[in-house]
């Protein structure tokens, strides 16, 4: 018997992860933290474990955990925890584009937390 993989089309997709990657790079460029000097992001995986992409999972857990590649080379693998705010939860439930839930360049919010030792990045969506 062949196992058939089912693709789930969700708002957590390549377009969203690419936009998020670029916004993280913008934030890292303007960071005054000496430990993050020279850091950049070379990608965020839009392939977390599939059960995380269900509406029920996102609504119940309010997050998706995946991988991001960060560092001075952009190649160090980090655990990425993407937390969903109210706007993001609503858009996800309605299968709408999440890119506008990424905080703006002008945002003063602390929406990214990077722990270099544990190789974790936490991201807060609106």
């Amino acid at each position: 018997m062949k196992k058939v993989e089912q693709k789930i089309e969700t708002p957590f997709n390549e377009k969203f992860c690419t936009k998020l990657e670029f916004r993280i790079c913008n934030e890292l460029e303007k960071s005054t933290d000496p430990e993050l000097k020279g850091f950049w992001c070379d990608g965020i995986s839009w392939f977390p474990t599939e059960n995380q992409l269900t509406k029920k999972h996102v609504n119940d857990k309010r997050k998706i955990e995946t991988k991001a590649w960060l560092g001075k080379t952009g190649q160090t693998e980090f655990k990425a925890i993407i937390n969903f705010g109210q706007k993001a939860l609503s858009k996800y439930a309605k299968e709408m584009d999440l890119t506008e839930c990424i905080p703006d360049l002008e945002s003063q919010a602390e929406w990214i937390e990077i722990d270099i030792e544990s190789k974790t990045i936490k991201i807060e969506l609106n």
Side-chain angles (χ1 to χ4, degrees), residues 10-58:
T10 73
F12 190 85
N13 55 28
E14 182 178 6
K15 176 185 172 194
F16 168 75
C17 289
T18 300
K19 173 99 175 184
L20 184 57
E21 168 193 340
F22 283 107
R23 280 291 293 114
I24 290 169
C25 284
N26 291 132
E27 291 295 321
L28 288 169
E29 275 180 27
K30 66 181 192 178
S31 174
T32 57
D33 185 333
E35 284 192 305
L36 298 176
K37 187 157 184 63
F39 262 54
W40 61 288
C41 181
D42 192 30
I44 296 173
S45 174
W46 55 93
F47 297 114
T49 57
E50 283 220 357
N51 68 341
Q52 288 191 73
L53 296 177
T54 65
K55 289 180 188 179
K56 179 172 177 21
H57 175 88
V58 171

Side-chain angles (χ1 to χ4, degrees), residues 4-126:
V4 178
E5 281 192 37
Q6 182 182 2
K7 286 274 186 204
I8 298 176
E9 281 298 317
T10 73
F12 190 85
N13 55 28
E14 182 178 6
K15 176 185 172 194
F16 168 75
C17 289
T18 300
K19 173 99 175 184
L20 184 57
E21 168 193 340
F22 283 107
R23 280 291 293 114
I24 290 169
C25 284
N26 291 132
E27 291 295 321
L28 288 169
E29 275 180 27
K30 66 181 192 178
S31 174
T32 57
D33 185 333
E35 284 192 305
L36 298 176
K37 187 157 184 63
F39 262 54
W40 61 288
C41 181
D42 192 30
I44 296 173
S45 174
W46 55 93
F47 297 114
T49 57
E50 283 220 357
N51 68 341
Q52 288 191 73
L53 296 177
T54 65
K55 289 180 188 179
K56 179 172 177 21
H57 175 88
V58 171
N59 187 59
D60 292 351
K61 302 292 184 186
R62 299 180 165 349
K63 69 180 177 181
I64 289 177
E65 293 183 10
T66 190
K67 296 175 190 168
W69 292 270
L70 300 165
K72 294 188 191 263
T73 64
Q75 300 304 304
T76 304
E77 190 175 295
F78 277 65
K79 177 180 181 179
I81 302 166
I82 301 166
N83 294 304
F84 284 63
Q86 286 303 319
K87 183 178 180 181
L89 284 171
S90 175
K91 289 205 174 280
Y92 199 89
K94 296 173 186 167
E95 298 180 10
M96 295 172 68
D97 184 12
L98 290 174
T99 57
E100 65 183 58
C101 299
I102 301 169
D104 295 329
L105 272 173
E106 297 79 35
S107 172
Q108 296 303 309
E110 294 288 326
W111 63 280
I112 301 171
E113 182 183 318
I114 298 174
D115 185 329
I116 296 170
E117 281 185 35
S118 69
K119 293 187 172 59
T120 304
I121 179 171
K122 292 181 183 173
I123 300 160
E124 302 291 331
L125 300 178
N126 292 325

